[in-house]
Amino acid sequence: MSEVSAEENHVDESPRGIAVMVVVGVLVGLLSGLFGIGGGTIIVPALVWLGLTQRHAAATSMLAIIPTSVSGVLSYAVNGNVDWIAALLVFIGMFVGGQIGSLLLSRLSEVVLRWAFVILSQLIFVPSRDSSIELNLVTGLLMVVFGVIAGILAGLLGVGGGAILVPSLSILFDASDLIARGTSLLAMFPNAVTTTVANVRRRMVHAKVGLIIGIVAALTAPLGTWIAEAMTPRTGEILFATYLTVLLIRSVWVALKITRKQHPWLSPQRGESQEI
């Protein structure tokens, strides 16, 4: 793995920092198994807090998602909650989208990346339990299209794409909540691999951090899957809504903070009287 340039690599690798990475890995694994997401919405903010830029945190997050998604897929597949053909179709689109997202990640400003992360955090939908995907030519093509969209978001923001894939598989293709999650995790695995390769070539990946979080998450993902299968879709909806609400509030606050820092003219000047 290529190392991140010293100029932008300020991640905390002290015992305290490693402990934070382990805790993040545990949370990511639980969320991945529970909601069928890659966990980037937790990994990226945590890595930024530990010292990486938004750009390098997003790229490193994609590496961590690789082992996380594998563990989640195996957990869902054991109970038959994975649609392998649908996952293949989605990945075809995600492969293209992931390369575009990686390119955008290397070129867009920090402020734009922060606000893009905020927008993604608002996506939410919870499907039913008693339905399955019916494949035909139209649904197959639509899956590829949504795979492109999910791939761009994944490569750009360092997320697995589950926040787009799970709702899309349920709303458009009538997948149950468990099948949508299992299929989402399967589709994001090869995309995480190809996008990480692109990110490594652009020297944006911190391999050690990504592997620590990813391996720990892989160990806890089966527990999240077990919880998902044990609870009702309604309970999952409430938990997911709560999680995204907290994430949205924090993301908006951080995005506003960095926007004001890089563009001071947006903040009101102290000591200046305002005229009506």
Side-chain angles (χ1 to χ4, degrees):
M1 292 288 182
S2 299
E3 295 183 358
V4 180
S5 62
E7 180 182 357
E8 296 190 351
N9 178 19
H10 304 293
V11 67
D12 181 5
E13 295 189 48
S14 66
R16 169 179 168 275
I18 298 297
V20 171
M21 295 174 203
V22 171
V23 171
V24 169
V26 171
L27 291 175
V28 166
L30 291 174
L31 291 173
S32 178
L34 190 59
F35 301 129
I37 60 177
T41 48
I42 290 290
I43 299 172
V44 174
L47 294 185
V48 170
W49 184 72
L50 286 175
L52 289 182
T53 63
Q54 182 81 13
R55 189 186 324 279
H56 287 78
T60 302
S61 174
M62 290 304 295
L63 171 60
I65 288 172
I66 295 175
T68 305
S69 59
V70 171
S71 178
V73 167
L74 293 176
S75 299
Y76 276 101
V78 167
N79 294 317
N81 291 316
V82 175
D83 190 314
W84 300 85
I85 297 178
L88 175 61
L89 292 172
V90 171
F91 166 66
I92 292 174
M94 290 189 76
F95 174 77
V96 177
Q99 304 308 302
I100 297 173
S102 176
L103 178 62
L104 292 174
L105 178 63
S106 67
R107 297 188 177 185
L108 294 179
S109 69
E110 189 84 355
V111 171
V112 172
L113 292 174
R114 296 276 185 164
W115 282 108
F117 195 87
V118 168
I119 294 172
L120 175 66
S121 304
Q122 301 181 64
L123 300 173
I124 178 171
F125 174 79
V126 177
S128 64
R129 178 71 42 100
D130 304 318
S131 54
S132 59
I133 301 174
E134 294 186 8
L135 288 174
N136 54 52
L137 180 59
V138 175
T139 57
L141 292 175
L142 284 175
M143 283 183 179
V144 174
V145 171
F146 275 95
V148 173
I149 297 173
I152 292 175
L153 290 175
L156 178 60
L157 305 179
V159 298
I164 285 287
L165 291 179
V166 173
S168 297
L169 289 172
S170 300
I171 297 173
L172 298 176
F173 310 112
D174 200 31
S176 71
D177 59 332
L178 297 180
I179 291 179
R181 294 167 188 167
T183 304
S184 170
L185 287 169
L186 176 58
M188 71 176 64
F189 162 65
N191 179 68
V193 173
T194 56
T195 304
T196 295
V197 171
N199 288 335
V200 167
R201 290 175 177 172
R202 295 186 173 96
R203 302 181 63 81
M204 297 188 295
V205 177
H206 195 294
K208 178 180 178 180
V209 174
L211 290 175
I212 290 175
I213 294 175
I215 292 173
V216 173
L219 296 176
T220 57
L223 177 58
T225 303
W226 178 80
I227 296 174
E229 294 174 345
M231 68 184 183
T232 64
R234 177 60 179 172
T235 302
E237 177 183 2
I238 295 173
L239 290 176
F240 198 31
T242 301
Y243 163 67
L244 289 182
T245 298
V246 173
L247 176 64
L248 175 60
I249 293 173
R250 183 197 177 280
S251 298
V252 169
W253 181 78
V254 173
L256 286 172
K257 185 177 179 180
I258 193 169
T259 300
R260 290 172 180 171
K261 181 179 180 181
Q262 295 193 9
H263 302 283
W265 54 272
L266 292 176
S267 303
Q269 299 296 322
R270 295 182 179 179
E272 291 184 3
S273 60
Q274 296 183 353
E275 298 181 3
I276 299 178

